[in-house]
Amino acid sequence: MARVGLGYDVHRLVPGRKLVLGGEVIPYEKGLLGHSDADVLVHAACDALLGAAGMGDIGEHFPDTDPAYRGIYSIELLTRVYRRVRSMGLMLVNMDATIFAEAPKLSPYKSQMARHMAQSMAVDQGQINIKATTTEGLGAIGRGEGIAAMCIVFLQ
């Protein structure tokens, strides 16, 4: 049986936090605000995987009210989510993701992000495609107030 899932996440940029995307620490003056490391790319991937498997969303599995997840490296959440997906007899065929950010420039980090995510799920890096784009200065993301990510997965 083939299944498709879509995930989306957005977090506010704030000073004093590391910017983590796809498990990669990106040098930047701000980081994303959240209960965990606020990795929007990984959170969108988790939601896409959970959605494709019919297992709800990331907040149901790892609530931000649970102190156990405070500051957690989101790549660990991706590992746990993919284990749950695999336990249902499903496996990743491919993942396609887009990061929406006015800054910093993310092109130099896309392959490292894909590598971290692939390793966390024990899949081939070629199954993961990551793109980055701006919003041409429009909206909160365009003003540099936050970063968003969208991800679609195909499971079989």
Side-chain angles (χ1 to χ4, degrees):
M1 164 177 41
R3 298 184 64 115
V4 175
L6 177 68
Y8 176 82
D9 195 30
V10 62
H11 283 270
R12 180 181 305 277
L13 280 165
V14 296
R17 297 235 341 162
K18 287 185 198 171
L19 177 58
V20 182
L21 294 169
E24 182 73 11
V25 177
I26 311 290
Y28 193 56
E29 63 205 30
K30 297 177 183 176
L32 295 169
L33 182 62
H35 185 69
S36 65
D37 63 6
D39 187 332
V40 293
L41 176 56
V42 170
H43 294 179
C46 287
D47 269 346
L49 288 163
L50 291 166
M55 298 172 68
D57 64 47
I58 191 172
E60 294 171 42
H61 293 266
F62 312 106
D64 64 6
T65 55
D66 188 333
Y69 305 116
R70 181 159 229 22
I72 194 168
Y73 186 46
S74 293
I75 283 287
E76 174 60 29
L77 302 179
L78 182 60
T79 300
R80 295 179 193 185
V81 163
Y82 193 61
R83 276 191 206 130
R84 292 173 188 183
V85 167
R86 292 290 294 137
S87 75
M88 295 185 63
L90 296 167
M91 55 193 293
L92 182 71
V93 175
N94 76 300
M95 175 183 289
D96 187 44
T98 303
I99 304 166
F100 302 89
E102 210 62 30
K105 184 144 182 76
L106 298 174
S107 294
Y109 306 100
K110 292 188 304 185
S111 66
Q112 296 98 303
M113 291 180 217
R115 182 174 44 82
H116 292 302
M117 294 173 72
Q119 287 175 344
S120 77
M121 296 184 287
V123 300
D124 186 271
Q125 186 173 334
Q127 292 171 263
I128 299 172
N129 185 60
I130 298 172
K131 305 176 300 291
T133 190
T134 69
T135 59
E136 301 293 328
L138 298 174
I141 292 170
R143 290 188 299 272
E145 296 172 15
I147 294 178
M150 186 175 288
C151 182
I152 190 164
V153 299
F154 177 60
L155 303 179
Q156 198 159 22

